[in-house]
C-alpha cells in the first residue's frame, strides 16, 4: 500500500507548469523546479519519476485547461464567427497584458522541443490538429448561419487560420508591435468575409 502524499500533487503540478511556461524545459533546473513546487527530491521522483515526466503532465494539463476547455467554452457561448474572432482577440489581449511575454506554453514547447522528442511532438501535434478542427467546425457552422463567406474549403480556411494563430502567438512572445498583432486580427476578419 502506497504512502499518502505529504503535498498537494495538483498544486505542485500547477507550480511546475508555471515554472516550465516561464522558463522552458531546458532552462528549468531541477533545483529551481523543486523550489517552485515546494517539494523535496524524493517526493518529486516518487510522484513524477523525472523532469520530463512532470513536464509531460504539465503540458497535458495546460492543453486541457488553457486550450481545450477554453475552446469548448467559447463554442457554447457565442456564434461560430464570434468564437473564431474571440480566440484571436484573446491572444491579442494576453500579448498586451502583464503575462504577455510568456506566450503560449504549447507553441513555446513546439519551438523548443517538438522536433527532438516524439512524446512531446505527439501532444503538440494533437493540440494543433484539434485547434484546426475547431476552426473547421466553426467555419462550417458559420457558413450555415450566413456569418462566414464561402470561397475556400473549410479545411483550407482552418489551416490558414491556424497559421495566423501560430504566427500571432510567436509574434506576441517576441514582443511584437501591437499594431502588427492588430493587423493579423484584421486579416482574420478579411478571411472570414471571403
Amino acid at each position: 500500500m502506497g504512502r499518502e502524499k505529504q503535498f498537494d500533487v495538483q498544486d505542485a503540478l500547477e507550480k511546475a507548469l508555471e515554472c516550465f511556461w516561464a522558463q522552458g524545459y531546458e532552462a528549468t533546473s531541477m533545483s529551481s523546479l523543486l523550489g517552485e513546487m515546494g517539494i523535496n527530491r524524493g517526493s518529486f521522483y516518487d510522484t513524477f519519476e523525472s523532469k520530463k515526466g512532470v513536464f509531460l503532465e504539465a503540458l497535458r494539463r495546460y492543453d486541457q485547461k488553457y486550450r481545450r476547455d477554453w475552446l469548448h467554452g467559447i463554442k457554447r457561448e457565442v456564434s461560430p464567427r464570434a468564437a473564431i474572432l474571440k480566440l484571436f482577440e484573446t491572444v491579442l489581449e494576453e500579448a498586451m497584458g502583464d503575462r504577455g511575454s510568456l506566450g503560449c506554453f504549447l507553441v513555446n514547447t513546439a519551438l523548443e522541443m517538438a522536433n527532438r522528442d516524439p512524446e512531446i511532438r505527439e501532444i503538440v501535434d494533437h493540440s494543433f490538429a484539434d485547434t484546426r478542427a475547431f476552426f473547421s467546425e466553426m467555419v462550417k457552422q458559420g457558413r450555415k448561419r450566413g456569418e462566414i463567406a464561402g470561397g475556400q474549403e473549410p479545411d483550407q480556411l482552418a489551416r490558414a487560420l491556424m497559421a495566423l494563430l501560430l504566427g500571432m502567438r510567436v509574434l506576441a512572445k517576441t514582443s511584437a508591435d501591437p499594431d502588427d498583432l492588430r493587423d493579423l486580427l484584421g486579416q482574420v476578419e478579411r478571411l472570414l468575409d471571403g
Side-chain angles (χ1 to χ4, degrees):
M1 184 168 173
R3 290 189 339 218
E4 185 177 324
K5 301 287 182 204
Q6 299 299 310
F7 64 95
D8 183 329
V9 174
Q10 295 308 311
D11 181 59
L13 183 57
E14 188 67 28
K15 289 175 180 173
L17 188 161
E18 292 290 332
C19 190
F20 285 125
W21 191 359
Q23 299 177 45
Y25 181 80
E26 295 294 338
T28 300
S29 69
M30 277 304 296
S31 61
S32 69
L33 185 59
L34 293 172
E36 288 294 321
M37 294 173 76
I39 60 176
N40 65 42
R41 194 172 292 272
S43 294
F44 175 86
Y45 287 110
D46 284 346
T47 305
F48 301 107
E49 297 182 5
S50 67
K51 178 181 169 184
K52 181 181 171 187
V54 75
F55 182 84
L56 290 170
E57 285 192 47
L59 189 61
R60 288 184 188 104
R61 181 183 186 94
Y62 178 93
D63 184 44
Q64 178 73 44
K65 180 177 176 181
Y66 293 97
R67 188 198 60 82
R68 193 175 326 147
D69 289 351
W70 191 82
L71 287 180
H72 288 292
I74 62 169
K75 268 195 312 197
R76 290 188 305 270
E77 293 170 10
V78 297
S79 72
R81 179 188 176 92
I84 292 170
L85 293 174
K86 178 73 174 167
L87 175 53
F88 285 91
E89 289 163 357
T90 299
V91 172
L92 180 60
E93 289 168 11
E94 288 172 356
M96 302 301 116
D98 295 341
R99 296 171 51 104
S101 63
L102 286 178
C104 170
F105 186 33
L106 281 159
V107 173
N108 298 349
T109 299
L111 296 171
E112 181 185 8
M113 300 187 62
N115 65 337
R116 294 185 284 142
D117 188 288
E119 287 179 284
I120 291 171
R121 175 179 282 168
E122 183 179 339
I123 294 167
V124 169
D125 287 350
H126 179 269
S127 169
F128 289 177
D130 190 58
T131 302
R132 276 192 311 274
F134 162 82
F135 283 137
S136 184
E137 178 187 351
M138 293 300 95
V139 168
K140 289 172 188 171
Q141 289 180 16
R143 285 188 175 159
K144 285 180 186 174
R145 294 171 67 158
E147 297 180 334
I148 296 174
Q152 287 184 339
E153 290 294 319
D155 290 339
Q156 287 177 320
L157 186 50
R159 282 192 293 276
L161 290 168
M162 188 67 188
L164 285 169
L165 177 65
L166 293 175
M168 193 175 197
R169 286 289 197 186
V170 171
L171 288 173
K173 170 78 174 164
T174 59
S175 303
D177 184 328
D179 290 335
D180 292 341
L181 299 177
R182 286 187 195 93
D183 287 346
L184 285 174
L185 181 57
Q187 182 63 34
V188 170
E189 291 174 327
R190 287 187 290 279
L191 278 172
L192 299 179
D193 290 339

